[in-house]
Amino acid sequence: CETNENTQLAITTKGFSAVCSVRLILAIYLIYKDKFNLNIDVVGILPVLQNKKGTVDNAMLNMAKESFGDDLVFKSVIPHMERIKRFDITGITDKDRFDRKVMQTYEIATNEFIEKINTLEDAKHE
């Protein structure tokens, strides 16, 4: 198995199992990082919500922040957007305001991801 320094892991869960799943992944990460002296870091947890106004989604987001801290949970949130599903058929486009909204949402998340990586790198060199 080959990996590189930019390997990502996505976890999709429903309901209250989401926080438990992330806890399990982080526990495995910590065990194997130390056991095998792996040079990997967790950059953060990027919330992807089915319903940005939903009670369960917001409860899960708050639980994640309480469990893992505000620093680990991205401030950017990827909401459910029908346009994303359409991209599977049409390809990624930038033709109208809905396309641009999707692209803007992912650009914000990408910029935060890059900031988090830079912060981790800076901390390693201090």
Side-chain angles (χ1 to χ4, degrees):
C1 179
E2 216 174 297
T3 61
N4 67 38
E5 62 191 32
N6 296 316
T7 301
Q8 300 173 29
L9 173 64
I11 303 170
T12 304
T13 58
K14 300 283 185 195
F16 290 101
S17 67
V19 171
C20 293
S21 297
V22 173
R23 282 185 183 148
L24 175 63
I25 295 299
L26 290 175
I28 292 169
Y29 155 76
L30 290 172
I31 291 167
Y32 284 100
K33 179 178 179 164
D34 291 341
K35 184 174 182 178
F36 296 107
N37 196 27
L38 300 176
N39 185 19
I40 58 174
D41 292 300
V42 173
V43 175
I45 300 166
L46 177 63
V48 179
L49 305 181
Q50 283 298 104
N51 179 356
K52 63 183 173 183
K53 295 180 183 175
T55 306
V56 173
D57 289 70
N58 285 308
M60 295 306 306
L61 185 54
N62 289 331
M63 286 176 63
K65 288 177 182 177
E66 289 172 15
S67 295
F68 308 113
D70 284 333
D71 290 344
L72 196 56
V73 178
F74 277 66
K75 289 173 184 54
S76 304
V77 174
I78 305 296
H80 173 76
M81 294 181 272
E82 286 294 317
R83 186 55 55 114
I84 295 172
K85 293 191 298 187
R86 183 174 169 212
F87 285 169
D88 287 341
I89 297 167
T90 63
I92 297 173
T93 60
D94 192 14
K95 294 180 181 176
D96 60 27
R97 67 184 174 101
F98 301 109
D99 290 342
R100 288 188 287 280
K101 178 65 178 168
V102 169
M103 300 306 285
Q104 179 185 25
T105 300
Y106 279 95
E107 184 177 339
I108 290 167
T110 300
N111 289 337
E112 185 177 357
F113 182 66
I114 292 167
E115 285 176 30
K116 287 182 173 290
I117 290 172
N118 288 336
T119 300
L120 278 172
E121 291 299 314
D122 290 345
K124 287 180 183 179
H125 299 297
E126 289 181 352

